[in-house]
């Protein structure tokens, strides 16, 4: 029976550490973000705001006016000068996966996080 | 022996790494095809895969857009009767559209392009056209105005225009499923502006898809369907519409025969089918057919199920859905 050489142990330890690091790295990617509000304008990178922070955000771009409110863990579009006003009429959202979309102004607001809604998606 | 232990350890390390990597989930939200698209890949996700998906969505949009001048559809519509060589994807979608027109007896028809443009519902130019304008445009609708020749050539009768907007999202959803499957993904959910496609399940559970309450301004749902490996597409009169000075509501689902928005007892139709392009076409077709004809039609189809909601909040289900549909709003009822 051949005994393992010292080098083998080092290699094994190294590989296990390597696997451990990759494991942790991937775990981070699996974990969901805390309850956050993702705000996206057209194809720009999104910005994230915590839902438990009461704030009013001015998302206006040039002549396109959109004012978003985050209040008591609820998010709603206070004001918009878009043609259809669907974003304002959408009212309050608070559960993961719920969204407010202002298509004319290409703005989307999506709630991310761990508070699971009852459904995975809405067919409409 | 040492070598054996060594090999086993190496193998275990790699298995551990690859196993965790295969669980990686990613979510991406993009604006494309005039709507908001959410790609939720629950395993085997990586940046390259998500990029491939969003690139494909952009490509489909630029091929099949009604209004973009460089699109295949625009070229075909403005060729004044000449034959146009198109991308094989565009050809496939138009060919499918023709097939669904035949199946639905013309209740779904892609040759309504000029009618859609005339009403302009959802655009800055939405208005009620004159009866004369509508009569003229209805004359340009019909399968006899479209000719397809293999491989990939389309010509239209001069004056006719096709609009595949009603099914391009369904096609795009099918493509997302194809790309995900090819990458080894086992669980994913894609939402293309309310047009849902799911791949696999959520572990041991089915995906739960809410069906939009047509009478609510917000994203409320009146029922839930539990599904795996399928697509759920809803057409309703609440999606895009305008209200004229006299208070009449005009919605975007146009009846190819009358030239007016389909006017019947329905407020929404949901179709569940493993092919999203087919679900997309038939959610429109069944809406135009109306409740009685629509129900009779769907019962003859083996690969599709449907949910009909009437203006009086009655919910009718095709036979295959009787056990998998959950009504969760008691202001709606399922008649005996």
């Amino acid at each position: 029976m051949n005994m393992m050489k010292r080098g083998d142990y080092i290699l094994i330890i190294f590989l296990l550490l390597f696997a451990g690091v990759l494991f942790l790295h991937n775990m981070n990617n699996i974990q969901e973000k805390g309850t956050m509000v993702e705000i996206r304008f057209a194809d720009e990178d999104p910005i994230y705001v915590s839902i438990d922070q009461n704030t009013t955000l001015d998302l206006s771009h040039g002549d396109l006016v959109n004012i978003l409110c985050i209040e008591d863990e609820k998010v709603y579009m206070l004001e918009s000068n878009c043609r259809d006003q669907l974003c304002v009429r959408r009212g309050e959202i608070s559960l993961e996966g719920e969204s407010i979309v202002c298509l004319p102004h290409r703005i989307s607001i999506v709630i991310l996080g761990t508070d699971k809604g009852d459904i995975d998606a809405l067919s409409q | 022996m040492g070598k054996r232990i060594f090999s086993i350890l190496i193998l275990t390390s790699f298995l551990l790494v690859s196993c965790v990597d295969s669980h990686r989930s990613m979510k991406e939200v993009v604006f494309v095809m005039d709507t908001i698209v959410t790609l939720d890949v629950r395993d085997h996700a990586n940046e390259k895969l998500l990029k491939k998906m969003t690139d494909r969505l952009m490509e489909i949009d630029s091929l099949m857009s009604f209004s973009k001048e460089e699109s295949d559809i625009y070229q075909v519509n403005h060729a004044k009767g000449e034959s146009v060589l198109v991308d094989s994807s565009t050809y496939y979608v138009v060919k499918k559209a023709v097939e669904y027109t035949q199946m639905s007896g013309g209740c779904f028809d892609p040759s309504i392009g000029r009618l859609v443009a005339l009403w302009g519902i959802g655009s800055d130019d939405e208005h009620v056209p004159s009866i004369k304008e509508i009569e003229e445009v209805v004359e340009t609708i019909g399968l006899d105005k479209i000719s397809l020749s293999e491989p990939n050539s389309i010509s239209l009768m001069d004056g006719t225009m096709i609009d595949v907007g009603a099914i391009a999202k369904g096609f795009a959803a099918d493509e997302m499923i194809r790309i995900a499957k090819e990458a080894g993904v086992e669980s994913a959910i894609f939402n293309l502006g309310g047009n849902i496609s799911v791949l696999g399940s959520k572990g041991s559970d089915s995906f739960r898809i809410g069906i939009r309450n047509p009478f609510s301004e917000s994203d409320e749902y009146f029922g839930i369907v539990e599904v795996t490996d399928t697509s759920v597409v809803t057409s309703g009169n609440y999606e895009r519409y305008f209200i004229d000075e006299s208070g009449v509501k005009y919605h975007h689902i146009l009846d190819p025969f009358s030239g007016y928005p389909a006017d019947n007892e329905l407020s929404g139709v949901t179709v569940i089918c493993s092919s999203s392009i087919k679900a997309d076409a038939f959610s429109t077709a069944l809406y135009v057919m109306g409740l009685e004809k629509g129900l009779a039609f769907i019962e003859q189809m083996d690969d599709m199920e449907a949910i009909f909601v009437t203006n009086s909040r009655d919910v009718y289900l095709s036979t295959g859905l009787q056990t998998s549909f959950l009504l969760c709003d008691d202001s709606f009822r399922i008649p005996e």
Side-chain angles (χ1 to χ4, degrees):
Chain A
M1 193 164 71
N2 295 327
M3 290 301 289
M4 280 199 287
K5 296 200 177 96
R6 193 163 160 248
D8 291 342
Y9 285 113
I10 293 172
L11 197 61
I12 289 166
I13 290 167
F14 171 77
L15 279 171
L16 281 175
L17 275 175
F18 179 68
V21 168
L22 270 184
F23 181 81
L24 286 176
H25 171 78
N26 282 314
M27 281 303 283
N28 276 336
N29 285 323
I30 295 167
Q31 269 169 10
E32 297 191 47
K33 295 191 178 85
T35 309
M36 300 291 278
V37 183
E38 181 195 75
I39 300 160
R40 198 177 275 265
F41 174 72
D43 302 322
E44 291 175 15
D45 286 336
I47 53 170
Y48 297 94
V49 181
S50 170
I51 197 166
D52 49 22
Q53 173 186 338
N54 289 351
T55 180
T56 302
L57 296 163
D58 188 349
L59 310 176
S60 305
H61 280 67
D63 295 337
L64 312 179
V65 176
N66 283 82
I67 312 284
L68 186 79
C69 279
I70 304 178
E71 212 173 271
D72 302 331
E73 303 196 357
K74 292 189 174 71
V75 183
Y76 59 95
M77 191 69 77
L78 179 70
E79 191 188 332
S80 169
N81 64 349
C82 64
R83 191 168 38 79
D84 57 19
Q85 291 289 304
L86 288 176
C87 57
V88 177
R89 296 209 306 248
R90 173 75 175 80
E92 293 177 345
I93 58 170
S94 58
L95 295 175
E96 184 193 353
E98 284 192 310
S99 60
I100 299 174
V101 179
C102 181
L103 269 183
H105 293 180
R106 293 169 68 79
I107 288 173
S108 81
I109 291 106
V110 181
I111 297 186
L112 309 170
T114 48
D115 291 340
K116 288 282 173 206
D118 198 28
I119 57 170
D120 298 301
L122 182 72
S123 177
Q124 55 184 335
Chain B
M1 185 65 185
K3 272 190 183 158
R4 193 178 293 167
I5 294 176
F6 182 58
S7 319
I8 290 169
L9 279 172
I10 290 188
L11 204 64
T12 328
S13 315
F14 279 103
L15 275 178
L16 190 65
V17 171
S18 58
C19 167
V20 170
D21 197 44
S22 73
H23 282 101
R24 188 171 177 201
S25 67
M26 282 178 82
K27 205 167 182 176
E28 175 100 20
V29 183
V30 276
F31 277 102
V32 65
M33 308 177 93
D34 293 327
T35 193
I36 183 163
V37 173
T38 310
L39 307 172
D40 184 356
V41 179
R42 301 188 170 213
D43 57 74
H44 294 84
N46 56 59
E47 280 83 6
K48 208 173 134 200
L49 174 64
L50 272 285
K51 168 93 171 48
K52 190 174 176 185
M53 289 178 166
T54 50
D55 284 352
R56 182 65 177 139
L57 290 171
M58 310 270 177
E59 187 185 20
I60 294 169
D61 189 22
S62 63
L63 287 172
M64 301 180 203
S65 161
F66 185 76
S67 54
K68 289 182 180 163
E69 290 187 20
E70 68 280 10
S71 83
D72 277 349
I73 297 298
Y74 189 94
Q75 297 299 325
V76 168
N77 284 338
H78 294 84
K80 299 192 186 307
E82 295 294 316
S83 180
V84 177
L85 186 66
V86 296
D87 186 273
S88 58
S89 296
T90 313
Y91 189 80
Y92 171 82
V93 168
V94 176
K95 199 174 161 185
K96 281 286 171 194
V98 167
E99 184 187 322
Y100 300 144
T101 309
Q102 288 162 339
M103 283 173 71
S104 68
C107 288
F108 165 80
D109 193 323
S111 63
I112 60 165
R114 283 192 60 196
L115 189 66
V116 175
L118 179 65
W119 282 89
I121 296 171
S123 76
D124 292 333
D125 186 35
E126 53 194 15
H127 67 285
V128 183
S130 71
I131 293 172
K132 189 165 170 286
E133 282 174 314
I134 288 179
E135 281 173 354
E136 277 174 17
V137 169
V138 167
E139 288 299 309
T140 69
I141 299 172
L143 278 194
D144 54 330
K145 318 287 194 300
I146 307 175
S147 57
L148 301 177
S149 49
E150 303 280 349
N152 308 336
S153 289
I154 304 174
S155 65
L156 301 177
M157 196 191 75
D158 192 13
T160 292
M161 286 189 182
I162 51 173
D163 184 351
V164 293
I167 59 169
K169 275 193 285 179
F171 172 69
D174 288 337
E175 285 292 276
M176 295 304 101
I177 296 283
R178 177 184 64 80
I179 295 169
K181 271 186 180 168
E182 281 173 8
V185 175
E186 286 162 8
S187 175
I189 179 163
F190 304 113
N191 184 342
L192 288 81
N195 185 331
I196 316 294
S197 272
V198 306
L199 172 60
S201 54
K202 292 187 296 179
S204 56
D205 296 329
S206 302
F207 283 104
R208 290 163 65 85
I209 311 299
I211 310 299
R212 161 80 186 252
N213 175 346
F215 309 104
S216 163
E217 287 278 358
S218 63
D219 291 1
E220 286 171 28
Y221 49 91
F222 67 88
I224 296 173
V225 279
E226 296 192 328
V227 294
T228 53
D229 285 312
T230 197
S231 178
V232 184
V233 180
T234 302
S235 284
N237 58 12
Y238 54 84
E239 288 174 281
R240 269 181 287 138
Y241 62 85
F242 70 94
I243 294 168
D244 73 357
E245 314 81 59
S246 54
V248 180
K249 179 175 164 180
Y250 295 93
H251 64 82
H252 77 295
I253 308 169
L254 299 170
D255 180 335
F257 302 105
S258 71
Y260 285 85
D263 185 18
N264 54 41
E265 65 278 72
L266 293 175
S267 50
V269 176
T270 300
V271 173
I272 299 155
C273 175
S274 61
S275 157
S276 191
I277 186 172
K278 195 170 186 182
D280 223 349
F282 282 93
S283 64
T284 306
L286 295 178
Y287 190 101
V288 171
M289 281 180 204
L291 178 64
E292 200 179 323
K293 277 167 83 178
L295 262 174
F297 180 88
I298 201 74
E299 292 298 355
Q300 294 171 354
M301 297 285 135
D302 297 333
D303 59 343
M304 285 192 279
E305 300 296 338
I307 302 164
F308 300 79
V309 187
T310 69
N311 295 326
S312 50
R313 296 180 179 244
D314 286 338
V315 180
Y316 292 86
L317 306 169
S318 61
T319 316
L321 279 181
Q322 312 276 352
T323 52
S324 56
F325 176 82
L326 244 77
L327 188 70
C328 49
D329 179 336
D330 57 16
S331 70
F332 289 80
R333 65 186 195 101
I334 301 175
E336 291 298 314

